Amino acid sequence: MIISSMGRKAEILLHLFLVLNEITMKFVKIIMWYAPFGILFLVSGKILEIDDMGNTARKLGLYMITVILGLMIHCFITLCSLYFIITRKNPFKFYYGCLQAVITGFGTSSSSATLPVTFRCLEENLRIDSRVTRFVLPIGSTINMDGTALYEAVAPIFIAQLNGRSLNFVEYIIISLTATVASIGAASIPSAGLVTMVIVLQSVGLPVKDISLIFAVDFFL
């Protein structure tokens, strides 16, 4: 607003910002093109360090099953129970009304990218007041990261078991609290939980380099 009010005097500064924006976009594009190769070498390097591939693959499979079961319990038992207790309505009708948003979420792996579809599902299918959805959904898509919190809590335990380390009760509490706080700060973009997971691992002194092993299955979770 200030730059536009200054007219031609601010053209140099305006061009500077436009050029910086273009440079940033090109830089991000380069990173996106080379990121798959970087991830490939990270995962490959970790695989080469593994002595017993069969045992590690079994543990990784159990880790995936644990995360999926935890998400299913949270989705179909915890959330459904809370919804029924508070509203006295069938939670599965609510899920059916949000089905398109759920499918979009699976495809994009981003709650922010799913927001327009979620708005439409809640306002058109479930007839929820737009004043409520416009206030709750943007906040919820950023702060309400239940799945990320669960994912970030299970991963450090898996990494600890992979390294043959036993965690005590206090460390479990630290992991739970740190994972909850880190998930709130995580960006609503794909694989953002892997970045904030570093905080959780460092809080209990676990090796950060083992995150590269989780890259192999992160897309599925």
Side-chain angles (χ1 to χ4, degrees), residues 59-110:
K59 290 180 179 179
L60 196 60
L62 290 173
Y63 161 72
M64 293 172 60
I65 292 170
T66 303
V67 173
I68 293 170
L69 283 176
L71 293 173
M72 290 179 67
I73 290 170
H74 179 67
C75 181
F76 295 110
I77 297 178
T78 307
L79 294 180
C80 286
S81 299
L82 287 172
Y83 182 84
F84 178 75
I85 292 170
I86 294 172
T87 64
R88 297 296 177 181
K89 294 181 180 178
N90 186 352
F92 294 102
K93 287 185 178 180
F94 181 84
Y95 280 152
Y96 181 75
C98 298
L99 185 61
Q100 188 178 0
V102 172
I103 294 172
T104 307
F106 273 115
T108 60
S109 299
S110 170

mmCIF file of all heavy atoms in Angstrom, residues 59-110:
data_model
loop_
_atom_site.group_PDB
_atom_site.id
_atom_site.type_symbol
_atom_site.label_atom_id
_atom_site.label_comp_id
_atom_site.label_asym_id
_atom_site.label_seq_id
_atom_site.Cartn_x
_atom_site.Cartn_y
_atom_site.Cartn_z
ATOM 1 N N LYS A 59 10.725 -54.794 11.180
ATOM 2 C CA LYS A 59 10.469 -53.728 12.154
ATOM 3 C C LYS A 59 9.801 -52.517 11.500
ATOM 4 O O LYS A 59 8.916 -51.902 12.087
ATOM 5 C CB LYS A 59 11.781 -53.307 12.827
ATOM 6 C CG LYS A 59 12.360 -54.338 13.775
ATOM 7 C CD LYS A 59 13.652 -53.841 14.403
ATOM 8 C CE LYS A 59 14.215 -54.867 15.375
ATOM 9 N NZ LYS A 59 15.501 -54.408 15.974
ATOM 10 N N LEU A 60 10.227 -52.201 10.274
ATOM 11 C CA LEU A 60 9.629 -51.078 9.551
ATOM 12 C C LEU A 60 8.172 -51.377 9.207
ATOM 13 O O LEU A 60 7.313 -50.486 9.271
ATOM 14 C CB LEU A 60 10.426 -50.810 8.281
ATOM 15 C CG LEU A 60 10.200 -49.463 7.581
ATOM 16 C CD1 LEU A 60 10.561 -48.309 8.499
ATOM 17 C CD2 LEU A 60 11.044 -49.380 6.295
ATOM 18 N N GLY A 61 7.883 -52.631 8.857
ATOM 19 C CA GLY A 61 6.500 -53.025 8.593
ATOM 20 C C GLY A 61 5.642 -52.934 9.836
ATOM 21 O O GLY A 61 4.489 -52.457 9.782
ATOM 22 N N LEU A 62 6.165 -53.363 10.985
ATOM 23 C CA LEU A 62 5.437 -53.251 12.248
ATOM 24 C C LEU A 62 5.217 -51.792 12.632
ATOM 25 O O LEU A 62 4.178 -51.439 13.189
ATOM 26 C CB LEU A 62 6.203 -53.985 13.363
ATOM 27 C CG LEU A 62 6.234 -55.508 13.272
ATOM 28 C CD1 LEU A 62 7.155 -56.101 14.340
ATOM 29 C CD2 LEU A 62 4.828 -56.092 13.421
ATOM 30 N N TYR A 63 6.200 -50.955 12.306
ATOM 31 C CA TYR A 63 6.054 -49.515 12.560
ATOM 32 C C TYR A 63 4.900 -48.942 11.746
ATOM 33 O O TYR A 63 4.068 -48.187 12.260
ATOM 34 C CB TYR A 63 7.364 -48.809 12.220
ATOM 35 C CG TYR A 63 7.234 -47.321 12.000
ATOM 36 C CD1 TYR A 63 7.002 -46.462 13.072
ATOM 37 C CD2 TYR A 63 7.338 -46.771 10.725
ATOM 38 C CE1 TYR A 63 6.885 -45.097 12.872
ATOM 39 C CE2 TYR A 63 7.224 -45.417 10.523
ATOM 40 C CZ TYR A 63 7.003 -44.583 11.601
ATOM 41 O OH TYR A 63 6.872 -43.234 11.398
ATOM 42 N N MET A 64 4.814 -49.301 10.473
ATOM 43 C CA MET A 64 3.731 -48.831 9.617
ATOM 44 C C MET A 64 2.378 -49.309 10.131
ATOM 45 O O MET A 64 1.413 -48.529 10.187
ATOM 46 C CB MET A 64 3.944 -49.325 8.179
ATOM 47 C CG MET A 64 5.148 -48.729 7.492
ATOM 48 S SD MET A 64 5.489 -49.512 5.891
ATOM 49 C CE MET A 64 3.967 -49.176 5.018
ATOM 50 N N ILE A 65 2.303 -50.579 10.525
ATOM 51 C CA ILE A 65 1.042 -51.129 11.046
ATOM 52 C C ILE A 65 0.625 -50.410 12.320
ATOM 53 O O ILE A 65 -0.555 -50.098 12.528
ATOM 54 C CB ILE A 65 1.188 -52.649 11.296
ATOM 55 C CG1 ILE A 65 1.349 -53.388 9.963
ATOM 56 C CG2 ILE A 65 -0.015 -53.196 12.058
ATOM 57 C CD1 ILE A 65 1.726 -54.846 10.110
ATOM 58 N N THR A 66 1.613 -50.114 13.188
ATOM 59 C CA THR A 66 1.314 -49.420 14.446
ATOM 60 C C THR A 66 0.741 -48.034 14.188
ATOM 61 O O THR A 66 -0.252 -47.637 14.809
ATOM 62 C CB THR A 66 2.595 -49.298 15.298
ATOM 63 O OG1 THR A 66 3.130 -50.597 15.535
ATOM 64 C CG2 THR A 66 2.293 -48.622 16.633
ATOM 65 N N VAL A 67 1.361 -47.289 13.257
ATOM 66 C CA VAL A 67 0.884 -45.939 12.938
ATOM 67 C C VAL A 67 -0.521 -45.993 12.344
ATOM 68 O O VAL A 67 -1.408 -45.222 12.735
ATOM 69 C CB VAL A 67 1.856 -45.237 11.964
ATOM 70 C CG1 VAL A 67 1.266 -43.906 11.498
ATOM 71 C CG2 VAL A 67 3.198 -45.001 12.623
ATOM 72 N N ILE A 68 -0.745 -46.912 11.407
ATOM 73 C CA ILE A 68 -2.058 -47.021 10.757
ATOM 74 C C ILE A 68 -3.135 -47.419 11.762
ATOM 75 O O ILE A 68 -4.238 -46.862 11.762
ATOM 76 C CB ILE A 68 -1.994 -48.023 9.588
ATOM 77 C CG1 ILE A 68 -1.103 -47.468 8.468
ATOM 78 C CG2 ILE A 68 -3.386 -48.314 9.043
ATOM 79 C CD1 ILE A 68 -0.776 -48.469 7.384
ATOM 80 N N LEU A 69 -2.828 -48.384 12.632
ATOM 81 C CA LEU A 69 -3.791 -48.788 13.660
ATOM 82 C C LEU A 69 -4.091 -47.634 14.614
ATOM 83 O O LEU A 69 -5.251 -47.414 14.996
ATOM 84 C CB LEU A 69 -3.261 -49.991 14.440
ATOM 85 C CG LEU A 69 -3.345 -51.347 13.747
ATOM 86 C CD1 LEU A 69 -2.691 -52.425 14.615
ATOM 87 C CD2 LEU A 69 -4.794 -51.721 13.456
ATOM 88 N N GLY A 70 -3.052 -46.892 14.988
ATOM 89 C CA GLY A 70 -3.256 -45.735 15.867
ATOM 90 C C GLY A 70 -4.147 -44.690 15.229
ATOM 91 O O GLY A 70 -5.038 -44.134 15.888
ATOM 92 N N LEU A 71 -3.940 -44.427 13.943
ATOM 93 C CA LEU A 71 -4.766 -43.457 13.229
ATOM 94 C C LEU A 71 -6.213 -43.938 13.109
ATOM 95 O O LEU A 71 -7.153 -43.145 13.243
ATOM 96 C CB LEU A 71 -4.182 -43.201 11.835
ATOM 97 C CG LEU A 71 -2.829 -42.487 11.799
ATOM 98 C CD1 LEU A 71 -2.282 -42.456 10.376
ATOM 99 C CD2 LEU A 71 -2.933 -41.076 12.345
ATOM 100 N N MET A 72 -6.399 -45.232 12.874
ATOM 101 C CA MET A 72 -7.752 -45.785 12.759
ATOM 102 C C MET A 72 -8.484 -45.730 14.093
ATOM 103 O O MET A 72 -9.673 -45.392 14.154
ATOM 104 C CB MET A 72 -7.682 -47.226 12.243
ATOM 105 C CG MET A 72 -7.246 -47.339 10.791
ATOM 106 S SD MET A 72 -7.134 -49.051 10.214
ATOM 107 C CE MET A 72 -8.855 -49.533 10.273
ATOM 108 N N ILE A 73 -7.781 -46.047 15.180
ATOM 109 C CA ILE A 73 -8.390 -45.970 16.517
ATOM 110 C C ILE A 73 -8.791 -44.538 16.835
ATOM 111 O O ILE A 73 -9.881 -44.272 17.342
ATOM 112 C CB ILE A 73 -7.419 -46.518 17.582
ATOM 113 C CG1 ILE A 73 -7.263 -48.029 17.432
ATOM 114 C CG2 ILE A 73 -7.903 -46.185 18.997
ATOM 115 C CD1 ILE A 73 -6.153 -48.627 18.264
ATOM 116 N N HIS A 74 -7.904 -43.600 16.509
ATOM 117 C CA HIS A 74 -8.199 -42.192 16.778
ATOM 118 C C HIS A 74 -9.384 -41.709 15.939
ATOM 119 O O HIS A 74 -10.252 -40.983 16.433
ATOM 120 C CB HIS A 74 -6.964 -41.348 16.478
ATOM 121 C CG HIS A 74 -7.164 -39.886 16.704
ATOM 122 N ND1 HIS A 74 -7.364 -39.333 17.954
ATOM 123 C CD2 HIS A 74 -7.206 -38.839 15.837
ATOM 124 C CE1 HIS A 74 -7.521 -38.032 17.850
ATOM 125 N NE2 HIS A 74 -7.437 -37.707 16.573
ATOM 126 N N CYS A 75 -9.412 -42.128 14.672
ATOM 127 C CA CYS A 75 -10.450 -41.652 13.755
ATOM 128 C C CYS A 75 -11.816 -42.266 14.043
ATOM 129 O O CYS A 75 -12.813 -41.554 14.123
ATOM 130 C CB CYS A 75 -10.017 -41.946 12.321
ATOM 131 S SG CYS A 75 -11.194 -41.400 11.066
ATOM 132 N N PHE A 76 -11.847 -43.592 14.207
ATOM 133 C CA PHE A 76 -13.133 -44.283 14.294
ATOM 134 C C PHE A 76 -13.620 -44.555 15.720
ATOM 135 O O PHE A 76 -14.773 -44.930 15.898
ATOM 136 C CB PHE A 76 -13.051 -45.613 13.534
ATOM 137 C CG PHE A 76 -12.854 -45.441 12.058
ATOM 138 C CD1 PHE A 76 -11.648 -45.770 11.456
ATOM 139 C CD2 PHE A 76 -13.858 -44.918 11.266
ATOM 140 C CE1 PHE A 76 -11.460 -45.621 10.096
ATOM 141 C CE2 PHE A 76 -13.684 -44.751 9.910
ATOM 142 C CZ PHE A 76 -12.480 -45.095 9.319
ATOM 143 N N ILE A 77 -12.763 -44.384 16.706
ATOM 144 C CA ILE A 77 -13.197 -44.603 18.091
ATOM 145 C C ILE A 77 -13.168 -43.302 18.889
ATOM 146 O O ILE A 77 -14.195 -42.854 19.398
ATOM 147 C CB ILE A 77 -12.321 -45.683 18.782
ATOM 148 C CG1 ILE A 77 -12.493 -47.024 18.071
ATOM 149 C CG2 ILE A 77 -12.696 -45.806 20.258
ATOM 150 C CD1 ILE A 77 -11.650 -48.149 18.637
ATOM 151 N N THR A 78 -11.982 -42.665 18.961
ATOM 152 C CA THR A 78 -11.859 -41.452 19.784
ATOM 153 C C THR A 78 -12.713 -40.311 19.237
ATOM 154 O O THR A 78 -13.555 -39.762 19.958
ATOM 155 C CB THR A 78 -10.383 -41.006 19.845
ATOM 156 O OG1 THR A 78 -9.573 -42.099 20.279
ATOM 157 C CG2 THR A 78 -10.219 -39.836 20.803
ATOM 158 N N LEU A 79 -12.512 -39.945 17.963
ATOM 159 C CA LEU A 79 -13.249 -38.822 17.386
ATOM 160 C C LEU A 79 -14.746 -39.112 17.274
ATOM 161 O O LEU A 79 -15.576 -38.235 17.536
ATOM 162 C CB LEU A 79 -12.678 -38.465 16.010
ATOM 163 C CG LEU A 79 -11.246 -37.917 15.998
ATOM 164 C CD1 LEU A 79 -10.813 -37.595 14.572
ATOM 165 C CD2 LEU A 79 -11.131 -36.675 16.865
ATOM 166 N N CYS A 80 -15.081 -40.341 16.890
ATOM 167 C CA CYS A 80 -16.504 -40.701 16.774
ATOM 168 C C CYS A 80 -17.196 -40.634 18.135
ATOM 169 O O CYS A 80 -18.332 -40.162 18.243
ATOM 170 C CB CYS A 80 -16.637 -42.104 16.181
ATOM 171 S SG CYS A 80 -16.291 -42.186 14.419
ATOM 172 N N SER A 81 -16.513 -41.110 19.169
ATOM 173 C CA SER A 81 -17.087 -41.081 20.523
ATOM 174 C C SER A 81 -17.298 -39.644 20.990
ATOM 175 O O SER A 81 -18.359 -39.304 21.541
ATOM 176 C CB SER A 81 -16.168 -41.820 21.502
ATOM 177 O OG SER A 81 -16.024 -43.171 21.124
ATOM 178 N N LEU A 82 -16.301 -38.793 20.770
ATOM 179 C CA LEU A 82 -16.425 -37.387 21.167
ATOM 180 C C LEU A 82 -17.560 -36.701 20.416
ATOM 181 O O LEU A 82 -18.355 -35.949 21.002
ATOM 182 C CB LEU A 82 -15.105 -36.655 20.910
ATOM 183 C CG LEU A 82 -13.946 -36.960 21.858
ATOM 184 C CD1 LEU A 82 -12.663 -36.305 21.362
ATOM 185 C CD2 LEU A 82 -14.261 -36.485 23.270
ATOM 186 N N TYR A 83 -17.657 -36.973 19.112
ATOM 187 C CA TYR A 83 -18.716 -36.363 18.306
ATOM 188 C C TYR A 83 -20.095 -36.800 18.784
ATOM 189 O O TYR A 83 -21.006 -35.974 18.922
ATOM 190 C CB TYR A 83 -18.517 -36.743 16.834
ATOM 191 C CG TYR A 83 -19.536 -36.129 15.898
ATOM 192 C CD1 TYR A 83 -19.363 -34.843 15.411
ATOM 193 C CD2 TYR A 83 -20.674 -36.837 15.509
ATOM 194 C CE1 TYR A 83 -20.292 -34.275 14.551
ATOM 195 C CE2 TYR A 83 -21.612 -36.285 14.666
ATOM 196 C CZ TYR A 83 -21.411 -34.994 14.180
ATOM 197 O OH TYR A 83 -22.343 -34.432 13.345
ATOM 198 N N PHE A 84 -20.243 -38.103 19.085
ATOM 199 C CA PHE A 84 -21.540 -38.610 19.533
ATOM 200 C C PHE A 84 -21.902 -38.076 20.916
ATOM 201 O O PHE A 84 -23.065 -37.699 21.166
ATOM 202 C CB PHE A 84 -21.519 -40.138 19.562
ATOM 203 C CG PHE A 84 -22.797 -40.752 20.054
ATOM 204 C CD1 PHE A 84 -23.915 -40.788 19.238
ATOM 205 C CD2 PHE A 84 -22.893 -41.264 21.346
ATOM 206 C CE1 PHE A 84 -25.114 -41.332 19.693
ATOM 207 C CE2 PHE A 84 -24.068 -41.805 21.802
ATOM 208 C CZ PHE A 84 -25.192 -41.841 20.982
ATOM 209 N N ILE A 85 -20.929 -38.034 21.815
ATOM 210 C CA ILE A 85 -21.190 -37.548 23.180
ATOM 211 C C ILE A 85 -21.603 -36.084 23.178
ATOM 212 O O ILE A 85 -22.513 -35.678 23.907
ATOM 213 C CB ILE A 85 -19.948 -37.759 24.077
ATOM 214 C CG1 ILE A 85 -19.718 -39.257 24.306
ATOM 215 C CG2 ILE A 85 -20.094 -37.039 25.408
ATOM 216 C CD1 ILE A 85 -18.395 -39.584 24.963
ATOM 217 N N ILE A 86 -20.955 -35.274 22.342
ATOM 218 C CA ILE A 86 -21.220 -33.831 22.336
ATOM 219 C C ILE A 86 -22.482 -33.488 21.551
ATOM 220 O O ILE A 86 -23.294 -32.674 21.983
ATOM 221 C CB ILE A 86 -20.002 -33.074 21.759
ATOM 222 C CG1 ILE A 86 -18.802 -33.239 22.695
ATOM 223 C CG2 ILE A 86 -20.322 -31.590 21.590
ATOM 224 C CD1 ILE A 86 -17.499 -32.704 22.135
ATOM 225 N N THR A 87 -22.691 -34.126 20.393
ATOM 226 C CA THR A 87 -23.798 -33.737 19.512
ATOM 227 C C THR A 87 -24.992 -34.696 19.545
ATOM 228 O O THR A 87 -26.083 -34.340 19.102
ATOM 229 C CB THR A 87 -23.313 -33.639 18.059
ATOM 230 O OG1 THR A 87 -22.900 -34.941 17.610
ATOM 231 C CG2 THR A 87 -22.140 -32.670 17.949
ATOM 232 N N ARG A 88 -24.762 -35.929 20.034
ATOM 233 C CA ARG A 88 -25.796 -36.980 20.017
ATOM 234 C C ARG A 88 -26.274 -37.278 18.605
ATOM 235 O O ARG A 88 -27.457 -37.560 18.359
ATOM 236 C CB ARG A 88 -26.996 -36.573 20.898
ATOM 237 C CG ARG A 88 -26.669 -36.412 22.353
ATOM 238 C CD ARG A 88 -26.239 -37.715 22.981
ATOM 239 N NE ARG A 88 -25.841 -37.559 24.385
ATOM 240 C CZ ARG A 88 -25.409 -38.542 25.168
ATOM 241 N NH1 ARG A 88 -25.293 -39.759 24.658
ATOM 242 N NH2 ARG A 88 -25.079 -38.322 26.415
ATOM 243 N N LYS A 89 -25.346 -37.218 17.645
ATOM 244 C CA LYS A 89 -25.656 -37.514 16.254
ATOM 245 C C LYS A 89 -24.738 -38.618 15.743
ATOM 246 O O LYS A 89 -23.715 -38.920 16.351
ATOM 247 C CB LYS A 89 -25.486 -36.263 15.386
ATOM 248 C CG LYS A 89 -26.478 -35.155 15.708
ATOM 249 C CD LYS A 89 -26.256 -33.957 14.799
ATOM 250 C CE LYS A 89 -27.239 -32.833 15.112
ATOM 251 N NZ LYS A 89 -27.005 -31.642 14.249
ATOM 252 N N ASN A 90 -25.126 -39.218 14.617
ATOM 253 C CA ASN A 90 -24.338 -40.294 14.026
ATOM 254 C C ASN A 90 -23.062 -39.726 13.398
ATOM 255 O O ASN A 90 -23.127 -38.958 12.435
ATOM 256 C CB ASN A 90 -25.170 -41.016 12.966
ATOM 257 C CG ASN A 90 -24.463 -42.248 12.421
ATOM 258 O OD1 ASN A 90 -23.297 -42.496 12.706
ATOM 259 N ND2 ASN A 90 -25.179 -43.027 11.627
ATOM 260 N N PRO A 91 -21.885 -40.098 13.907
ATOM 261 C CA PRO A 91 -20.635 -39.541 13.356
ATOM 262 C C PRO A 91 -20.341 -39.999 11.936
ATOM 263 O O PRO A 91 -19.664 -39.293 11.187
ATOM 264 C CB PRO A 91 -19.560 -40.052 14.332
ATOM 265 C CG PRO A 91 -20.160 -41.263 14.969
ATOM 266 C CD PRO A 91 -21.629 -41.009 15.035
ATOM 267 N N PHE A 92 -20.876 -41.166 11.549
ATOM 268 C CA PHE A 92 -20.597 -41.683 10.212
ATOM 269 C C PHE A 92 -21.346 -40.898 9.137
ATOM 270 O O PHE A 92 -20.906 -40.844 7.990
ATOM 271 C CB PHE A 92 -20.924 -43.169 10.135
ATOM 272 C CG PHE A 92 -20.023 -44.007 11.002
ATOM 273 C CD1 PHE A 92 -20.468 -44.479 12.231
ATOM 274 C CD2 PHE A 92 -18.723 -44.285 10.606
ATOM 275 C CE1 PHE A 92 -19.631 -45.231 13.032
ATOM 276 C CE2 PHE A 92 -17.877 -45.043 11.407
ATOM 277 C CZ PHE A 92 -18.332 -45.515 12.624
ATOM 278 N N LYS A 93 -22.453 -40.272 9.490
ATOM 279 C CA LYS A 93 -23.131 -39.368 8.554
ATOM 280 C C LYS A 93 -22.277 -38.128 8.315
ATOM 281 O O LYS A 93 -22.220 -37.594 7.211
ATOM 282 C CB LYS A 93 -24.509 -38.972 9.110
ATOM 283 C CG LYS A 93 -25.537 -40.081 9.050
ATOM 284 C CD LYS A 93 -26.906 -39.577 9.491
ATOM 285 C CE LYS A 93 -27.954 -40.688 9.377
ATOM 286 N NZ LYS A 93 -29.300 -40.206 9.808
ATOM 287 N N PHE A 94 -21.606 -37.689 9.378
ATOM 288 C CA PHE A 94 -20.701 -36.546 9.251
ATOM 289 C C PHE A 94 -19.527 -36.904 8.347
ATOM 290 O O PHE A 94 -19.132 -36.134 7.472
ATOM 291 C CB PHE A 94 -20.204 -36.126 10.636
ATOM 292 C CG PHE A 94 -19.276 -34.945 10.631
ATOM 293 C CD1 PHE A 94 -19.785 -33.653 10.624
ATOM 294 C CD2 PHE A 94 -17.900 -35.119 10.616
ATOM 295 C CE1 PHE A 94 -18.932 -32.555 10.608
ATOM 296 C CE2 PHE A 94 -17.044 -34.041 10.596
ATOM 297 C CZ PHE A 94 -17.567 -32.750 10.594
ATOM 298 N N TYR A 95 -18.972 -38.100 8.550
ATOM 299 C CA TYR A 95 -17.871 -38.566 7.700
ATOM 300 C C TYR A 95 -18.308 -38.673 6.239
ATOM 301 O O TYR A 95 -17.542 -38.328 5.328
ATOM 302 C CB TYR A 95 -17.358 -39.926 8.183
ATOM 303 C CG TYR A 95 -16.431 -39.857 9.363
ATOM 304 C CD1 TYR A 95 -16.337 -40.928 10.252
ATOM 305 C CD2 TYR A 95 -15.642 -38.742 9.610
ATOM 306 C CE1 TYR A 95 -15.483 -40.884 11.350
ATOM 307 C CE2 TYR A 95 -14.784 -38.684 10.691
ATOM 308 C CZ TYR A 95 -14.701 -39.754 11.554
ATOM 309 O OH TYR A 95 -13.861 -39.701 12.629
ATOM 310 N N TYR A 96 -19.532 -39.152 6.031
ATOM 311 C CA TYR A 96 -20.038 -39.295 4.664
ATOM 312 C C TYR A 96 -20.154 -37.929 3.988
ATOM 313 O O TYR A 96 -19.857 -37.780 2.795
ATOM 314 C CB TYR A 96 -21.394 -39.997 4.674
ATOM 315 C CG TYR A 96 -21.968 -40.214 3.294
ATOM 316 C CD1 TYR A 96 -21.463 -41.207 2.461
ATOM 317 C CD2 TYR A 96 -23.005 -39.411 2.827
ATOM 318 C CE1 TYR A 96 -21.980 -41.398 1.187
ATOM 319 C CE2 TYR A 96 -23.533 -39.596 1.559
ATOM 320 C CZ TYR A 96 -23.017 -40.594 0.739
ATOM 321 O OH TYR A 96 -23.531 -40.771 -0.523
ATOM 322 N N GLY A 97 -20.575 -36.922 4.747
ATOM 323 C CA GLY A 97 -20.678 -35.571 4.193
ATOM 324 C C GLY A 97 -19.329 -34.975 3.845
ATOM 325 O O GLY A 97 -19.228 -34.113 2.968
ATOM 326 N N CYS A 98 -18.274 -35.435 4.538
ATOM 327 C CA CYS A 98 -16.915 -34.931 4.291
ATOM 328 C C CYS A 98 -16.097 -35.865 3.400
ATOM 329 O O CYS A 98 -14.866 -35.708 3.311
ATOM 330 C CB CYS A 98 -16.177 -34.748 5.622
ATOM 331 S SG CYS A 98 -16.924 -33.546 6.723
ATOM 332 N N LEU A 99 -16.756 -36.843 2.768
ATOM 333 C CA LEU A 99 -16.033 -37.874 2.017
ATOM 334 C C LEU A 99 -15.148 -37.290 0.917
ATOM 335 O O LEU A 99 -14.002 -37.713 0.736
ATOM 336 C CB LEU A 99 -17.033 -38.867 1.418
ATOM 337 C CG LEU A 99 -16.423 -40.079 0.690
ATOM 338 C CD1 LEU A 99 -15.579 -40.902 1.654
ATOM 339 C CD2 LEU A 99 -17.531 -40.936 0.080
ATOM 340 N N GLN A 100 -15.649 -36.297 0.206
ATOM 341 C CA GLN A 100 -14.874 -35.701 -0.881
ATOM 342 C C GLN A 100 -13.613 -35.020 -0.343
ATOM 343 O O GLN A 100 -12.535 -35.113 -0.938
ATOM 344 C CB GLN A 100 -15.723 -34.689 -1.646
ATOM 345 C CG GLN A 100 -15.048 -34.163 -2.913
ATOM 346 C CD GLN A 100 -15.934 -33.200 -3.684
ATOM 347 O OE1 GLN A 100 -17.055 -32.916 -3.276
ATOM 348 N NE2 GLN A 100 -15.429 -32.697 -4.795
ATOM 349 N N ALA A 101 -13.743 -34.360 0.808
ATOM 350 C CA ALA A 101 -12.583 -33.709 1.431
ATOM 351 C C ALA A 101 -11.565 -34.745 1.902
ATOM 352 O O ALA A 101 -10.347 -34.529 1.785
ATOM 353 C CB ALA A 101 -13.032 -32.844 2.609
ATOM 354 N N VAL A 102 -12.053 -35.877 2.412
ATOM 355 C CA VAL A 102 -11.154 -36.938 2.870
ATOM 356 C C VAL A 102 -10.360 -37.515 1.699
ATOM 357 O O VAL A 102 -9.139 -37.719 1.793
ATOM 358 C CB VAL A 102 -11.959 -38.056 3.573
ATOM 359 C CG1 VAL A 102 -11.059 -39.252 3.890
ATOM 360 C CG2 VAL A 102 -12.593 -37.528 4.859
ATOM 361 N N ILE A 103 -11.049 -37.759 0.580
ATOM 362 C CA ILE A 103 -10.371 -38.308 -0.608
ATOM 363 C C ILE A 103 -9.346 -37.308 -1.139
ATOM 364 O O ILE A 103 -8.219 -37.686 -1.514
ATOM 365 C CB ILE A 103 -11.403 -38.656 -1.692
ATOM 366 C CG1 ILE A 103 -12.306 -39.798 -1.210
ATOM 367 C CG2 ILE A 103 -10.710 -39.043 -2.994
ATOM 368 C CD1 ILE A 103 -13.477 -40.088 -2.112
ATOM 369 N N THR A 104 -9.708 -36.024 -1.149
ATOM 370 C CA THR A 104 -8.772 -34.988 -1.596
ATOM 371 C C THR A 104 -7.568 -34.917 -0.672
ATOM 372 O O THR A 104 -6.433 -34.734 -1.120
ATOM 373 C CB THR A 104 -9.474 -33.614 -1.645
ATOM 374 O OG1 THR A 104 -10.658 -33.710 -2.433
ATOM 375 C CG2 THR A 104 -8.551 -32.556 -2.239
ATOM 376 N N GLY A 105 -7.808 -35.077 0.631
ATOM 377 C CA GLY A 105 -6.716 -35.073 1.599
ATOM 378 C C GLY A 105 -5.753 -36.219 1.380
ATOM 379 O O GLY A 105 -4.530 -36.054 1.483
ATOM 380 N N PHE A 106 -6.280 -37.405 1.050
ATOM 381 C CA PHE A 106 -5.424 -38.555 0.749
ATOM 382 C C PHE A 106 -4.573 -38.289 -0.494
ATOM 383 O O PHE A 106 -3.414 -38.693 -0.571
ATOM 384 C CB PHE A 106 -6.264 -39.811 0.533
ATOM 385 C CG PHE A 106 -6.569 -40.553 1.800
ATOM 386 C CD1 PHE A 106 -7.873 -40.665 2.254
ATOM 387 C CD2 PHE A 106 -5.553 -41.141 2.542
ATOM 388 C CE1 PHE A 106 -8.165 -41.346 3.435
ATOM 389 C CE2 PHE A 106 -5.838 -41.823 3.709
ATOM 390 C CZ PHE A 106 -7.132 -41.930 4.165
ATOM 391 N N GLY A 107 -5.168 -37.602 -1.467
ATOM 392 C CA GLY A 107 -4.450 -37.356 -2.713
ATOM 393 C C GLY A 107 -3.389 -36.280 -2.606
ATOM 394 O O GLY A 107 -2.330 -36.376 -3.229
ATOM 395 N N THR A 108 -3.657 -35.241 -1.809
ATOM 396 C CA THR A 108 -2.730 -34.103 -1.716
ATOM 397 C C THR A 108 -1.799 -34.188 -0.518
ATOM 398 O O THR A 108 -0.741 -33.541 -0.518
ATOM 399 C CB THR A 108 -3.512 -32.790 -1.624
ATOM 400 O OG1 THR A 108 -4.356 -32.809 -0.453
ATOM 401 C CG2 THR A 108 -4.373 -32.582 -2.860
ATOM 402 N N SER A 109 -2.176 -34.948 0.520
ATOM 403 C CA SER A 109 -1.402 -35.036 1.772
ATOM 404 C C SER A 109 -1.203 -33.660 2.390
ATOM 405 O O SER A 109 -0.177 -33.393 3.021
ATOM 406 C CB SER A 109 -0.040 -35.700 1.529
ATOM 407 O OG SER A 109 -0.199 -37.009 1.050
ATOM 408 N N SER A 110 -2.169 -32.783 2.210
ATOM 409 C CA SER A 110 -2.070 -31.427 2.744
ATOM 410 C C SER A 110 -3.450 -30.943 3.166
ATOM 411 O O SER A 110 -4.374 -30.910 2.355
ATOM 412 C CB SER A 110 -1.484 -30.478 1.693
ATOM 413 O OG SER A 110 -1.586 -29.137 2.118
#
